[in-house]
Amino acid sequence: MAMQPEAIGQNLLDWYAAHQRRLPWRETSDPWAIWISEVMLQQTQVATAIPYYHRFMHRFPTPRHLAGANVQEVLKLWEGLGYYSRARHLHRAAGVVVSRYHGQVPDDPAIFRTLPGVGDYIAAAVLSIAFGRVIAVVDGNVKRVLARLFELEHPVNRSGSHKFFQPLADRLITPHQPADFNQAMMELGALVCRPKNPDCGHCPLFGLCRANRNRTTADYPRRDAARKRPHRHLAIGVIVKEDKLLVVQRPMDGFLGGLWEFPAIPAMPGENADRAIETELADEIGLRIGMDRLLTRIRHAYTHFTLSADVYLCRYLSGRIRLKRAQSHRWVTFRSLQRLPLHKANHKFLEDLKNVLGKG
DNA sequence: AAATCGTGGAC
DNA sequence: TGTCCAAGATT
């Protein structure tokens, strides 16, 4: 493969110096700030992460601030950003940094890489950008750029492809400017070598790119076909007891771990709602409840399945809480709901709920 | 090594 | 509407 690493690196660095965006985490060299930004940017677009980054850094300016906080508060700041294990891992990692490394972010790859939530990408990004270590990042942008540059046949969404892309990126990285090279590759992928409608006319690697020369940019990167996503349906119960509503907290590990929600059970779309709510949902939380009426229906798309749910207004009848799956519960007013981290599917009917409760 | 894990933007 | 996919990590 005709690589010309020197030409690629120099063109890339020149382009980056002229065209890089001004981003909050580029105004600092604090490894903690860089780390936070990289975790938030994981599978998340820059524009989405920016307001979260500011709020998080303001509340947790150092690992010590985060380590001393309650997970609940951390999840509340993460609410809406998704992939909540990132927040829980970060919280745990901050604890390790404080207890074992005197609150200083480790600059040793072998050590930093062992922290919860730190994989190959985060380690390479933080250590190169904050400490100048010569380790190439390989993210979705880098794989797309390389796949087009060299017309690579490795599917970028296949886990086994990583061990092909990583050494290739390591061979291209400019040893004197690893931080700029890494960010330049990602910036190029984000601004020029985009997934759709790449702007090859303004690409610094125009003359070096095989896909451009062969008019095959649309064929790269290769990708394994995605599986079809299944569909799930829930019955959700908003259980009212005087002026309070019942919410439960999901188990800390797994899907939406640690977040709060209104109790729900799997259901069939056409199922008899009264029966399902008053037997199965009641059994899930250990109460006797009555179903009043349908509040609304919601739909939500997750990565691996789509969700639809019927949301029912219910009334508490009798009994003491006995939770099956949830780890804890609270009776809360509508107002105090906003203090708890709720996931998106629940936020989707809060307005409807507010209107109904407001009318008495 | 394939599956799992959220949400929003772009088309 | 559906589909991709976005500065990935974990199991």
Side-chain angles (χ1 to χ4, degrees), chain A residues 47-359:
Chain A
T48 303
I50 287 177
Y52 284 89
Y53 172 81
H54 287 306
R55 285 193 294 268
F56 202 93
M57 286 307 297
H58 182 260
R59 173 62 185 88
F60 305 121
T62 71
R64 208 172 292 279
H65 287 87
L66 181 59
N70 193 303
V71 196
Q72 183 93 338
E73 187 190 355
V74 181
L75 286 172
K76 182 63 187 176
L77 271 181
W78 209 270
E79 179 184 46
L81 201 51
Y83 286 144
Y84 299 96
S85 65
R86 294 183 294 177
R88 301 192 307 268
H89 285 150
L90 210 40
H91 185 238
R92 272 205 293 144
V96 176
V97 168
V98 168
S99 64
R100 299 197 48 166
Y101 306 110
H102 311 288
Q104 303 299 307
V105 177
D107 63 352
D108 180 343
I111 293 175
F112 187 65
R113 178 67 177 75
T114 66
L115 296 173
V118 177
D120 288 342
Y121 169 79
I122 300 271
V126 173
L127 295 176
S128 68
I129 296 171
F131 297 117
R133 299 276 184 162
V134 185
I135 312 170
V137 298
V138 177
D139 74 331
N141 290 303
V142 173
K143 283 188 282 191
R144 184 171 58 257
V145 169
L146 294 179
R148 285 174 175 159
L149 192 54
F150 302 121
E151 291 190 318
L152 305 177
E153 301 301 323
H154 301 261
V156 291
N157 61 341
R158 186 184 298 177
S159 52
S161 298
H162 180 76
K163 60 180 186 295
F164 180 84
F165 284 102
Q166 182 70 60
L168 183 52
D170 284 331
R171 221 168 304 145
L172 291 174
I173 191 172
T174 51
H176 49 295
Q177 287 176 268
D180 287 336
F181 176 88
N182 280 337
Q183 293 180 88
M185 285 289 279
M186 297 189 283
E187 195 80 334
L188 186 70
L191 300 182
V192 175
C193 197
R194 300 172 296 227
K196 292 167 185 171
N197 306 316
D199 187 12
C200 300
H202 292 94
C203 181
L205 308 182
F206 181 90
L208 300 167
C209 179
R210 288 191 54 171
N212 177 58
R213 181 162 62 250
N214 298 332
R215 310 268 173 212
T216 59
T217 54
D219 300 326
Y220 295 91
R222 304 292 200 203
R223 167 173 293 277
D224 283 337
R227 287 181 317 147
K228 207 178 96 175
R229 289 183 300 186
H231 186 269
R232 300 181 196 171
H233 186 78
L234 296 178
I236 300 176
V238 177
I239 302 169
V240 182
K241 180 185 182 187
E242 299 175 0
D243 65 334
K244 300 288 183 62
L245 311 170
L246 177 63
V247 288
V248 297
Q249 187 180 26
R250 300 178 61 90
M252 200 53 77
D253 290 319
F255 190 56
L256 301 170
L259 274 71
W260 292 77
E261 64 186 6
F262 291 96
I265 51 168
M268 299 294 290
E271 193 174 7
N272 182 319
D274 297 58
R275 193 199 64 77
I277 290 288
E278 296 179 357
T279 62
E280 294 171 51
L281 184 61
D283 189 55
E284 187 72 21
I285 54 180
L287 299 180
R288 284 187 57 244
I289 58 179
M291 197 278 274
D292 286 332
R293 68 179 181 84
L294 178 69
L295 173 66
T296 186
R297 300 181 199 276
I298 58 142
R299 305 180 63 79
H300 191 65
Y302 294 104
T303 304
H304 289 283
F305 65 96
T306 56
L307 177 74
S308 59
D310 300 329
V311 186
Y312 295 97
L313 282 174
C314 310
R315 61 190 181 285
Y316 167 86
L317 294 179
S318 65
R320 285 173 58 94
I321 301 279
R322 271 188 27 260
L323 301 172
K324 286 220 150 116
R325 284 198 66 254
Q327 63 164 335
S328 60
H329 79 279
R330 275 185 207 173
W331 290 98
V332 298
T333 62
F334 183 85
R335 278 170 52 83
S336 53
L337 261 183
Q338 63 187 320
R339 283 186 248 144
L340 301 174
L342 293 186
H343 53 89
K344 182 66 179 173
N346 274 224
H347 275 287
K348 282 187 170 178
F349 59 82
L350 284 192
E351 272 307 306
D352 295 288
L353 181 57
K354 182 180 183 180
N355 292 335
V356 166
L357 295 176
K359 290 169 187 167

